[in-house]
C-alpha cells in the first residue's frame, strides 16, 4: 500500500482507531483471559508473600527456633508460583491465538468487500504483511495488558509493603521512583514512532518482493535479476536505519535505568539498615525490605511489555489504515424480474486524476450479444467491471432491468451476473469445484455440461484424475484456463454474462467453437463481451466502440467497418488486412 502524504490530523485519527481496535481485542476471548488474569494475580500474590516468608525464616533461625513453618510456607508459595505461571502460559497462548484469528477474519472480510479498484491500488505484499505479521503483533495485546496490569499490582504491593515495614523506608523508595518512571515514558514514546517507520519499510520491501515473484517469468526471460534485487532491496537502508535507531534509543535508556535502579536500592537498604541499627527493625525485615524494593521496582521490568505494546499500537494503526478503506454500501433489494437489460446512465469513473470511463450513456438490449471494442486503455475493462458492480462509478448509475445495482443485494447480484476474465484464477479444491466456485449446490453433471459448452471437457478428461485434479496443480495452458473460466461463468446460467477479453488466449478454431456457444448456447441471455478479434465483433448484435473512456460510436460491425479508424483497431492486431476490408463480415447464424 503506497504511503500517503503525511497528514497530521489523519494520523491522529488513525492512532485513535488503532487504540480502539486494541481495546476491542482486550474485550475479546474472556475465558482464557480470565484464566490469564487469575493466574497472574495468584503469581503476583505469591511473589508478594515470598519476602515476608523469607524474613520470617531468617528471624526464626536467628532466634534459634526451627523454621519449619516458614519452610512449609516457602514450598507452598513456590509451588503456587510455578502452577500459576504454567496455567498463565497455556491460557495466554489460547487468548493470543483467538485474538489474532478474529482480527485476521475481520481484515480478510474487509479486504474481500473492497471495491476492485481499491484492492488494485494496494500492493499484495503489503497487504499480506499486514494480514499476517501485523495481526499477530496486535493479537498479543490482551495478554500483554494483563501482564502490565498485574505487574503494576505487584509493584504497588511492594511499595505498600515497604511502608508497612517502615514509613521512612517507603518514603526513600518513593523519592527515587519518579525519575525511573520519566525515563521509561520517554523511551516508550520514542520507540513507538520508530516502530512505525520500521514496519512501513518492512511492508514496502515485502510488496516489492511479491511484485517481483508475480512477474518472475519476465525477470528471468529479460535477465534482469540483478536490477530486480536492487529494486526490491531499495527500502533496506531505511529499514536498517529504523532498526539501528531502535537499538540506539534502547541503549540510551537502558544505561540510565541501569544506573538509577541500584541507587534507589542502595538508598532503601540504607534507610532499612539504619532502622535495624536503631532497633526499629528486625534483621529479617532488612531482607524483606530488599525483596520488596525489587518488587517495587518491577514496574521497570514492564519496559519490555510496554515496548511490545508500542509495537502493537503501530501494528494496529497499519491494520486500521486498511480497515479504514471504504467498502461499497450493500444493497438490500432483490433484482427485478427481467430478461437482463443493462443500462449505463451518465457513468464516470475517476482513478488517480484520470477518467477511464467518462460520461457513458449506453443501453445493452436484453438477450443481445454486445461487443465492446477499442484500443488498450480505452476503458473497456472498467466498463465490464461496472456491469456487475465489481467497481462503482463516481458519478452516474448502472442499472439491471431498471434497478440500480447499488440497491441490489450482493448475493442476488452475483446470481444475476456472471463473469469470465482474461486471466482466470482457479479457486476451490479440484477442477470440479473450480468450475462451480461459489455454487456449492451445483451437481457434477451441470459442471460437465458447462465444461462441454466451453469446449474444455475433453481437456479435463485427459487428466489422470479428471475433474478431481487439484485446481492448483492442474497442468493447463493459458487458453485452457480461459475455457475453464468461461465454464465457470456458463454454469451460473445468469441473466447477464460479462466476458472481459475471456477468449484472447484461444486459437482460431477453438474461438470459433466458443463463439458458437455464445451465439447459440446462450441465446436469450444478455452477453457483454470485451473483444479484440474481428470475428467476435462481426457476430455481435451491437458493437460499442470506446476511445479515451468515452463511446466514440455504436452500431453493427458492418456499419462501423466503413470507418478506417475502426478498421485500424483490428488491423493493428493483425486481425484484418487491407485486402479484407471490402466485406469482412460473414453471414451471422
Amino acid at each position: 500500500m503506497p504511503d500517503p502524504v503525511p497528514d497530521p490530523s489523519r494520523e491522529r485519527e488513525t492512532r485513535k482507531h488503532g487504540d480502539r481496535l486494541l481495546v476491542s481485542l482486550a474485550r475479546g476471548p474472556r475465558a482464557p483471559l480470565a484464566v490469564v488474569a487469575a493466574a497472574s494475580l495468584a503469581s503476583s500474590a505469591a511473589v508478594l508473600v515470598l519476602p515476608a516468608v523469607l524474613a520470617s525464616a531468617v528471624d526464626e533461625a536467628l532466634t534459634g527456633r526451627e523454621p519449619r513453618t516458614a519452610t512449609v510456607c516457602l514450598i507452598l508459595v513456590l509451588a503456587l508460583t510455578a502452577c500459576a505461571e504454567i496455567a498463565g502460559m497455556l491460557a495466554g497462548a489460547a487468548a493470543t491465538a483467538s485474538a489474532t484469528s478474529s482480527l485476521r477474519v475481520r481484515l480478510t472480510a474487509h479486504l474481500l468487500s473492497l471495491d476492485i479498484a481499491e484492492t488494485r491500488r494496494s500492493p499484495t505484499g503489503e497487504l499480506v504483511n499486514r494480514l499476517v505479521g501485523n495481526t499477530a503483533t496486535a493479537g498479543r495485546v490482551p495478554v500483554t495488558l494483563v501482564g502490565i496490569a498485574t505487574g503494576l499490582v505487584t509493584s504497588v504491593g511492594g511499595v505498600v509493603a515497604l511502608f508497612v515495614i517502615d514509613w521512612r523506608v517507603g518514603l526513600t523508595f518513593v523519592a527515587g521512583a519518579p525519575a525511573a518512571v520519566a525515563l521509561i515514558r520517554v523511551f516508550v514514546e520514542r520507540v513507538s514512532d520508530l516502530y512505525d517507520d520500521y514496519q512501513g519499510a518492512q511492508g514496502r520491501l515485502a510488496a516489492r518482493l511479491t511484485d517481483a515473484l508475480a512477474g518472475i517469468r519476465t525477470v528471468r526471460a529479460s535477465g534482469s535479476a540483478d536490477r530486480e534485487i536492487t529494486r526490491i532491496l531499495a527500502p533496506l537502508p531505511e529499514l536498517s536505519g529504523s532498526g539501528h535507531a531502535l537499538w540506539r534509543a534502547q541503549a540510551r535508556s537502558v544505561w540510565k535505568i541501569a544506573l538509577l535502579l541500584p541507587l534507589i536500592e542502595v538508598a532503601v537498604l540504607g534507610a532499612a539498615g539504619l532502622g535495624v541499627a536503631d532497633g526499629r527493625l528486625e534483621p529479617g525485615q532488612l531482607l524483606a525490605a530488599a525483596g520488596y524494593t525489587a518488587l517495587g521496582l518491577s514496574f521497570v521490568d514492564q519496559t519490555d511489555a510496554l515496548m511490545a505494546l508500542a509495537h502493537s499500537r503501530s501494528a494496529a494503526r497499519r491494520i486500521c489504515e486498511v480497515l479504514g478503506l471504504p467498502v461499497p454500501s450493500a444493497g438490500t433489494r432483490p433484482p427485478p424480474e427481467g430478461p437482463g437489460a443493462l443500462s449505463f446512465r451518465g457513468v464516470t469513473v475517476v482513478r488517480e486524476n484520470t477518467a477511464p470511463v467518462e460520461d457513458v450513456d449506453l443501453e445493452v438490449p436484453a438477450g443481445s450479444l454486445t461487443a465492446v471494442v477499442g484500443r488498450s486503455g480505452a476503458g473497456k475493462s472498467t466498463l465490464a467491471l461496472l456491469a456487475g458492480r465489481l467497481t462503482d462509478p463516481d458519478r452516474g448509475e448502472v442499472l439491471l432491468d431498471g434497478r440500480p445495482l447499488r440497491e441490489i443485494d450482493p448475493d442476488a447480484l452475483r446470481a444475476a451476473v456472471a463473469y469470465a476474465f482474461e486471466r482466470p484464477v482457479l479457486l476451490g479444491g479440484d477442477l470440479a469445484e473450480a468450475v462451480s466456485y461459489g455454487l456449492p449446490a451445483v451437481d457434477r453433471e451441470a459442471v460437465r455440461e458447462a465444461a462441454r459448452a466451453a469446449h474444455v471437457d475433453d481437456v479435463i478428461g485427459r487428466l489422470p484424475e479428471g475433474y478431481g485434479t487439484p485446481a492448483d496443480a492442474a497442468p493447463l495452458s493459458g487458453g485452457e484456463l480461459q475455457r475453464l473460466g468461461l465454464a465457470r461463468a456458463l454454469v451460473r446460467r445468469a441473466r447477464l454474462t460479462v466476458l472481459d477479453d475471456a477468449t484472447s488466449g484461444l486459437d482460431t478454431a477453438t474461438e470459433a467453437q466458443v463463439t458458437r456457444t455464445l451465439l447459440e448456447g446462450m441465446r436469450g441471455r444478455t452477453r457483454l463481451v470485451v473483444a479484440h478479434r474481428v470475428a467476435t465483433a462481426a457476430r455481435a448484435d451491437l458493437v460499442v466502440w470506446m476511445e479515451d473512456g468515452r463511446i466514440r460510436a455504436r452500431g453493427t460491425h458492418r456499419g462501423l467497418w466503413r470507418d478506417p479508424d475502426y478498421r485500424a483497431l483490428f488491423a493493428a492486431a493483425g486481425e484484418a488486412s487491407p485486402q479484407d476490408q471490402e466485406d469482412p463480415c460473414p453471414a451471422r447464424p
Side-chain angles (χ1 to χ4, degrees):
M1 180 174 297
D3 292 335
V5 177
D7 181 349
S9 62
R10 184 175 179 180
E11 288 182 1
R12 285 194 297 270
E13 192 67 23
T14 303
R15 286 173 183 267
K16 289 180 182 178
H17 287 311
D19 291 342
R20 289 174 190 156
L21 178 66
L22 295 181
V23 170
S24 70
L25 289 177
R27 295 171 181 164
R30 296 184 178 180
L33 272 182
V35 175
V36 172
S40 298
L41 289 173
S43 179
S44 178
V47 168
L48 287 171
V49 170
L50 186 59
V53 173
L54 289 174
S56 176
V58 169
D59 286 339
E60 287 181 359
L62 291 176
T63 56
R65 290 177 289 168
E66 191 70 28
R68 292 178 180 175
T69 303
T71 301
V72 172
C73 290
L74 181 60
I75 293 173
L76 291 175
V77 167
L78 293 176
L80 176 61
T81 303
C83 292
E85 289 183 354
I86 292 172
M89 288 175 59
L90 294 176
T96 299
S98 178
T100 302
S101 175
S102 66
L103 194 54
R104 285 175 176 166
V105 169
R106 179 179 174 185
L107 187 58
T108 301
H110 190 84
L111 284 171
L112 295 179
S113 301
L114 292 175
D115 190 292
I116 294 293
E118 199 69 63
T119 58
R120 286 177 173 176
R121 283 198 292 265
S122 306
T124 303
E126 177 73 338
L127 292 176
V128 170
N129 180 264
R130 299 187 192 214
L131 180 62
V132 178
N134 294 153
T135 53
T137 301
R140 293 193 287 267
V141 162
V143 175
T144 300
L145 290 176
V146 171
I148 291 173
T150 53
L152 291 176
V153 169
T154 302
S155 184
V156 171
V159 175
V160 170
L162 288 175
F163 275 97
V164 170
I165 292 172
D166 184 67
W167 64 268
R168 300 172 186 81
V169 174
L171 282 179
T172 303
F173 179 91
V174 170
V181 173
L183 281 175
I184 293 173
R185 179 180 178 182
V186 171
F187 170 64
V188 170
E189 289 178 351
R190 173 63 177 155
V191 163
S192 181
D193 293 334
L194 291 173
Y195 269 129
D196 286 346
D197 298 337
Y198 186 85
Q199 292 192 103
Q202 194 176 49
R204 286 189 288 277
L205 194 150
R208 291 172 183 233
L209 176 60
T210 304
D211 291 342
L213 292 176
I216 189 63
R217 290 183 298 179
T218 302
V219 173
R220 294 290 297 277
S222 61
S224 58
D226 291 340
R227 186 169 58 190
E228 277 302 300
I229 291 172
T230 301
R231 186 186 70 85
I232 293 167
L233 299 181
L236 201 57
E238 184 183 353
L239 187 69
S240 175
S242 299
H244 281 87
L246 279 168
W247 282 108
R248 286 194 297 272
Q250 188 171 2
R252 282 195 297 267
S253 298
V254 165
W255 75 263
K256 294 174 184 177
I257 294 173
L259 180 63
L260 180 62
L261 296 189
L263 292 177
I264 296 175
E265 290 176 344
V266 168
V268 171
L269 290 176
L274 290 175
V276 173
D278 292 342
R280 296 193 313 273
L281 302 178
E282 297 293 332
Q285 289 179 300
L286 175 62
L287 179 61
Y292 285 122
T293 300
L295 292 177
L297 292 172
S298 63
F299 69 85
V300 177
D301 294 334
Q302 300 302 313
T303 303
D304 289 340
L306 291 172
M307 285 180 62
L309 185 59
H311 194 182
S312 297
R313 291 183 69 194
S314 175
R317 287 194 289 272
R318 287 168 56 78
I319 293 168
C320 283
E321 287 175 357
V322 179
L323 293 177
L325 296 176
V327 173
S329 59
T332 57
R333 303 176 67 185
E337 294 294 330
L342 183 65
S343 305
F344 297 84
R345 297 180 182 172
V347 171
T348 295
V349 176
V350 179
R351 298 287 183 261
E352 298 178 357
N353 301 321
T354 63
V357 169
E358 186 174 4
D359 254 351
V360 168
D361 287 292
L362 175 65
E363 295 294 330
V364 177
S368 69
L369 172 61
T370 299
V372 183
V373 302
R375 298 186 186 277
S376 177
K380 305 184 298 297
S381 290
T382 302
L383 196 72
L385 294 176
L386 289 164
R389 207 193 173 193
L390 297 186
T391 192
D392 275 338
D394 294 282
R395 293 191 297 275
E397 202 73 78
V398 184
L399 303 92
L400 180 64
D401 289 319
R403 179 160 295 167
L405 298 187
R406 297 177 191 268
E407 298 180 5
I408 299 176
D409 176 80
D411 292 335
L413 184 60
R414 294 284 73 81
V417 183
Y419 271 94
F421 300 102
E422 179 184 6
R423 291 184 292 274
V425 176
L426 301 185
L427 302 173
D430 55 29
L431 292 182
E433 292 180 9
V435 173
S436 62
Y437 185 73
L439 298 172
V442 170
D443 59 31
R444 182 62 63 90
E445 183 53 38
V447 168
R448 295 200 62 160
E449 181 182 347
R452 284 193 292 269
H455 300 280
V456 73
D457 177 63
D458 57 334
V459 175
I460 298 174
R462 288 195 295 269
L463 297 174
E465 298 180 66
Y467 283 88
T469 303
D472 58 357
L476 301 174
S477 67
E480 290 165 347
L481 280 173
Q482 281 194 340
R483 281 182 274 167
L484 269 175
L486 181 60
R488 185 168 57 194
L490 295 176
V491 79
R492 305 186 79 89
R493 303 190 64 81
R495 70 174 77 176
L496 169 63
T497 300
V498 182
L499 277 64
D500 186 1
D501 205 16
T503 60
S504 60
L506 306 185
D507 57 73
T508 304
T510 304
E511 188 194 18
Q513 294 174 327
V514 170
T515 301
R516 191 176 301 112
T517 297
L518 293 177
L519 289 169
E520 300 174 1
M522 300 181 68
R523 191 178 299 279
R525 283 182 275 164
T526 308
R527 293 139 290 168
L528 182 68
V529 182
V530 174
H532 289 87
R533 293 187 175 179
V534 68
T536 305
R539 290 167 171 80
D541 300 295
L542 173 68
V543 177
V544 178
W545 178 11
M546 295 198 68
E547 187 171 274
D548 297 329
R550 295 176 177 269
I551 296 178
R552 174 168 171 172
R554 73 195 79 192
T556 64
H557 176 73
R558 184 178 294 276
L560 294 173
W561 191 260
R562 300 187 185 94
D563 190 323
D565 289 341
Y566 179 80
R567 295 197 300 269
L569 293 177
F570 303 100
E575 285 293 315
S577 64
Q579 290 81 4
D580 299 324
Q581 292 177 3
E582 291 300 322
D583 188 12
C585 305
R588 293 185 61 233

